[in-house]
Amino acid sequence: MALTVDIKKRLPDFELKISFTCKDGDLTVLIGPSGAGKTTIIRIIAGLVKADEGYISYKDKVWVDTNRGIMLPTRKRRLGFVFQDYTLFPHLNVYKNVAFAAVDEREVEGLLRLFEIWHLKNSMPHKISGGERQRCAICQNLARHPKVLLLDEPFSALDVEIRRKLREGLKNIKEDLAIPIIHVTHDLSEALFLGDTILPVVRG
């Protein structure tokens, strides 16, 4: 089973066109310079931006088909989406941030331990580091049991050692997740380390 993407989007200075598939358990990296349209692609997959033309499906469910006027709402795509900035609830501690999103709260401890932040379970987001907040955001998204995981340069603002740990953690769990993962980066070493497939995105 796979996520299938075949889309076009007119941007101010060029037309973005891309076509690819990403199988369950695989990680596809979109790599390219700023302004090439990488974030726009995953925002279209998420349903946050509309494609001008194209088709997106996962398994037997069509998410987008511009020819037939199909546009499945974001909430019905059951996605995980990790941004560069941290989408945590500031009034909830680390444990409650993940538990709030969890399909099964019994999995929360395991996720926090996997990403080495169990010891921070009672900490508030503003009391922990950027790397720890990003790990919490990843746990929060995985706790939703997403059908597809979208990662928009989630490690770019972190220091080298934290980036290395998070890359290794993601690589270690991706096959167990058995879902398509789309990862946006401008870092070639990150792309080579993580990607089953690497797709360069450049301005047309």
Side-chain angles (χ1 to χ4, degrees):
M1 297 295 183
L3 174 73
T4 300
V5 178
D6 185 1
I7 53 173
K8 294 182 183 179
K9 177 71 177 177
R10 285 179 290 278
L11 299 177
D13 299 321
F14 66 102
E15 184 176 61
L16 176 66
K17 294 190 283 188
I18 193 163
S19 178
F20 66 92
T21 60
C22 183
K23 297 184 295 184
D24 287 348
D26 280 359
L27 190 151
T28 295
V29 176
L30 305 179
I31 185 168
S34 297
K38 304 183 303 297
T39 294
T40 299
I41 292 165
I42 60 171
R43 289 178 70 84
I44 290 172
I45 295 170
L48 302 174
V49 172
K50 290 185 177 180
D52 294 324
E53 299 176 40
Y55 178 89
I56 302 172
S57 67
Y58 176 60
K59 295 186 176 178
D60 59 350
K61 186 73 172 179
V62 176
W63 291 1
V64 173
D65 187 337
T66 56
N67 286 334
R68 293 192 287 159
I70 295 172
M71 176 71 174
L72 192 71
T74 298
R75 67 182 183 279
K76 293 188 177 181
R77 301 186 193 193
R78 223 178 85 193
L79 296 154
F81 199 150
V82 182
F83 300 86
Q84 292 179 51
D85 48 356
Y86 320 109
T87 54
L88 303 179
F89 298 107
H91 61 289
L92 298 180
N93 65 27
V94 165
Y95 182 93
K96 289 180 179 177
N97 257 286
V98 179
F100 181 85
V103 172
D104 184 348
E105 190 173 339
R106 293 172 295 182
E107 297 175 356
V108 173
E109 180 177 348
L111 284 168
L112 295 178
R113 288 190 184 279
L114 178 65
F115 283 90
E116 300 181 1
I117 53 172
W118 174 246
H119 64 291
L120 300 171
K121 60 184 181 294
N122 295 318
S123 301
M124 303 303 287
H126 70 280
K127 294 287 189 180
I128 62 178
S129 72
E132 290 160 349
R133 288 195 295 272
Q134 195 63 299
R135 279 182 269 181
C136 183
I138 292 170
C139 291
Q140 187 187 62
N141 277 275
L142 294 178
R144 294 189 175 106
H145 291 186
K147 294 179 178 178
V148 176
L149 182 61
L150 305 174
L151 303 170
D152 187 9
E153 300 208 47
F155 311 145
S156 63
L158 307 178
D159 65 46
V160 172
E161 182 59 21
I162 295 298
R163 276 206 309 271
R164 183 185 65 78
K165 286 185 176 181
L166 288 179
R167 288 172 184 171
E168 289 174 354
L170 179 59
K171 191 178 181 81
N172 289 340
I173 66 167
K174 73 178 183 66
E175 290 184 7
D176 291 337
L177 291 175
I179 60 174
I181 302 173
I182 313 298
H183 182 92
V184 166
T185 186
H186 61 270
D187 185 328
L188 180 58
S189 63
E190 183 168 290
L192 292 171
F193 180 77
L194 287 173
D196 297 296
T197 302
I198 299 174
L199 295 178
V201 180
V202 295
R203 293 176 61 154

